[in-house]
Amino acid sequence: MSHATAVLPDPVADALVAPPRHVAIIMDGNGRWAASRHLPRVAGHREGARAVKRAVSAAIRHGVKWLTIYAFSSENWRRPAVEVLDLTGLLRQYLRTEIAELAANGVRIRFIGDRDRFDTDIRQDLAQAEHATAGNTRLNLTVALSYGARAEILAAARAMCEAIGEGRLDPDTVTEQGFTRFLSTDGIPDPDLIIRTSGEQRLSNFLLWQAAYAELAFLDVLWPDFGEEHFAAAMADFSRRERRFGARPG
Ligand code: FPP
């Protein structure tokens, strides 16, 4: 047991913790935000898309280099058809109107998840957005769409088995490091901090492999109300955590 952080004055403790390189966000509470205003759920999602812009600005302001947002889970396809249509419509609109601004702000955008389930025009826009922003380095924004971590891990395991079966891969490379190369997040550092809004305290099949050592922050704010002050509060909270990665303090 360590009392190290308890006896150190705050500024010193803060100085010991590197700021998060990668922040991931589970954006939750759009439906409740809309219901509390007697609005249709789509109004919550629309306001949620605006909150995404605030999260991107906050990440840039705090010098975070990697931001990943959970915009659509593989389970979300099971929502009523009208809501799925609203969500995919919003995505379509977002891709057509926001990418230019993201590009102008130096943001590189990537998408992870099963994009084959989206309509052709959306798939084309996703590829176009990735292509148009590929040279940017200020912030790496990854949007998880039709994403599920178990499916991602299974696909990686299958691809690795196939590569070994076909003699393209040495079985000795079946290591943690080797396995991550088959994940959709290959080349992206693991998240240091995962934020979930709306008070729910679950990972909901998000980045399960990558979250092994992530700090978790559950915020009592519905996603459409999320602002730069909530991002700042999560960053301040992170700076007070003691990260040991399973090791004993020195
Ligand atoms: C969870 O709220 C949120 C979603 C399922 C969708 C997230 C989508 C957005 C923030 C807008 C679109 C984003 C982009 C990038 C276009 P919920 O509906 O589960 O809320 P509830 O738990 O209160 O019902």
Side-chain angles (χ1 to χ4, degrees):
M1 193 170 77
S2 161
H3 298 290
T5 48
V7 296
L8 285 171
D10 256 353
V12 177
D14 285 355
L16 294 176
V17 182
R21 199 156 57 124
H22 182 177
V23 175
I25 308 182
I26 302 173
M27 310 181 290
D28 196 11
N30 295 352
R32 275 162 284 169
W33 183 92
S36 70
R37 287 163 176 76
H38 308 287
L39 294 169
R41 291 179 64 83
V42 66
H45 296 316
R46 205 175 291 128
E47 206 53 41
R50 292 197 185 102
V52 168
K53 294 175 76 167
R54 296 193 289 273
V56 168
S57 302
I60 291 174
R61 195 184 304 273
H62 284 267
V64 168
K65 296 303 277 184
W66 300 84
L67 177 69
T68 299
I69 55 173
Y70 203 2
F72 196 95
S73 76
S74 34
E75 289 74 29
N76 285 157
W77 292 109
R78 292 196 219 120
R79 292 196 175 190
V82 63
E83 186 172 353
V84 170
L85 208 60
D86 284 339
L87 279 167
T88 51
L90 210 54
L91 174 63
R92 192 176 268 116
Q93 191 184 327
Y94 188 87
L95 288 166
R96 305 228 162 121
T97 58
E98 302 300 331
I99 298 303
E101 192 181 329
L102 288 172
N105 280 306
V107 177
R108 175 175 186 175
I109 194 161
R110 291 178 177 84
F111 301 95
I112 56 170
D114 182 8
R115 60 180 84 188
D116 288 349
R117 293 189 71 173
F118 291 99
D119 291 341
T120 315
D121 68 309
I122 291 185
R123 295 207 304 267
Q124 282 169 351
D125 287 348
L126 296 176
Q128 167 60 22
E130 286 179 327
H131 179 72
T133 63
N136 292 343
T137 56
R138 196 168 178 207
L139 172 71
N140 291 278
L141 173 64
T142 303
V143 183
L145 287 173
S146 189
Y147 173 86
R150 285 186 173 181
E152 176 192 36
I153 293 168
L154 215 53
R158 192 175 294 126
M160 208 169 192
C161 288
E162 276 172 16
I164 291 170
E166 291 165 10
R168 290 183 281 115
L169 193 72
D170 180 348
D172 286 347
T173 63
V174 184
T175 60
E176 288 189 12
Q177 202 63 35
F179 186 69
T180 58
R181 310 245 1 240
F182 286 83
L183 294 170
S184 64
T185 49
D186 181 31
I188 300 176
D190 284 347
D192 302 295
L193 170 65
I194 298 181
I195 297 170
R196 182 172 188 146
T197 59
S198 93
E200 305 288 346
Q201 303 192 358
R202 288 187 292 280
L203 284 180
S204 297
N205 207 12
F206 184 50
L207 300 179
L208 295 184
W209 173 280
Q210 299 86 341
Y213 289 104
E215 296 292 327
L216 308 179
F218 300 107
L219 304 189
D220 232 350
V221 59
L222 300 175
W223 178 251
D225 289 328
F226 184 88
E228 299 218 10
E229 69 276 24
H230 301 104
F231 195 94
M235 294 288 284
D237 179 22
F238 178 89
S239 76
R240 291 187 288 270
R241 306 277 179 105
E242 187 188 355
R243 303 188 81 203
R244 296 208 295 265
F245 300 95
R248 291 180 55 193

